[in-house]
Amino acid sequence: MPGQQKLMDHLFIKIDGTDLPTQAMNDLIEATVDSSLHLPDAFTLHLHDEKLQWIESGPFVLGKEVEITAQPETGGRAYVLFKGEITALEPDFGTGAQATLLVRGYDRSHRLHRGTHSQAYVQVTDSDLAQRIAQAAGLRAEVDATSEVYDHVLQHNQTHMEF
């Protein structure tokens, strides 16, 4: 018989390194994390926002860093489920005072999927290319140096991720 499934019952959300306020956690309807091998990881937070406090003055600001962790019900080590940034705020105004807020975000690799680029590189190594592309996307890269130098490399109408 396979091992018993471990449940996670403690969810922690940080915005720019600060725990989400208790009131926001109380207003949380649903938190979703979606991981993919070929696409950027994504999250959504769905909150009650009847007083419009989270859309007006809440900690949710486009571009802020989000970290979502979970801890097993038996205690022990917390697992990081998601680390990325807020990319969209979607208020929904239902009938009466039924306002909710949907907060969306992606890990930072989503920046590599933005737009297509055509450019030529001359006398570069693979590590040079990785550094340049990461920098152009506003990312930090830890790259091992490579030695093979290419005379010409062409990125033709491709996203940085495709390239």
Side-chain angles (χ1 to χ4, degrees):
M1 176 183 256
Q4 186 175 1
Q5 182 180 4
K6 293 182 180 178
L7 299 176
M8 302 285 178
D9 72 343
H10 297 291
L11 185 70
F12 302 95
I13 301 170
K14 291 186 178 194
I15 308 289
D16 271 354
T18 304
D19 289 332
L20 198 61
T22 303
Q23 183 59 43
M25 290 300 286
N26 291 340
D27 286 342
L28 186 64
I29 299 167
E30 178 182 49
T32 305
V33 173
D34 185 17
S35 295
S36 173
L37 183 60
H38 303 290
L39 297 171
D41 291 348
F43 82 93
T44 59
L45 301 175
H46 193 195
L47 297 102
H48 287 287
D49 196 11
E50 294 176 10
K51 297 177 184 174
L52 305 179
Q53 65 185 4
W54 304 125
I55 190 69
E56 289 291 327
S57 61
F60 307 109
V61 176
L62 295 177
K64 284 202 173 189
E65 183 177 283
V66 174
E67 181 177 282
I68 300 173
T69 58
Q71 188 173 26
E73 63 183 345
T74 57
R77 184 172 75 89
Y79 296 90
V80 176
L81 302 177
F82 177 86
K83 193 168 188 176
E85 60 190 0
I86 297 172
T87 58
L89 301 173
E90 302 174 19
D92 181 26
F93 304 103
T95 58
Q98 298 296 323
T100 62
L101 175 64
L102 189 66
V103 180
R104 289 186 190 275
Y106 295 99
D107 69 24
R108 284 187 162 71
S109 73
H110 78 92
R111 296 174 181 192
L112 296 173
H113 292 269
R114 292 182 186 166
T116 57
H117 308 272
S118 293
Q119 48 196 348
Y121 300 93
V122 179
Q123 297 294 313
V124 293
T125 64
D126 289 324
S127 55
D128 292 336
L129 288 171
Q131 279 292 103
R132 287 183 190 182
I133 289 172
Q135 187 175 25
L139 302 172
R140 287 175 289 159
E142 292 180 24
V143 180
D144 293 334
T146 57
S147 59
E148 185 176 354
V149 178
Y150 302 105
D151 291 332
H152 297 91
V153 177
L154 177 64
Q155 180 179 2
H156 179 66
N157 200 30
Q158 296 171 295
T159 66
H160 288 317
M161 185 61 85
E162 289 171 326
F163 181 66

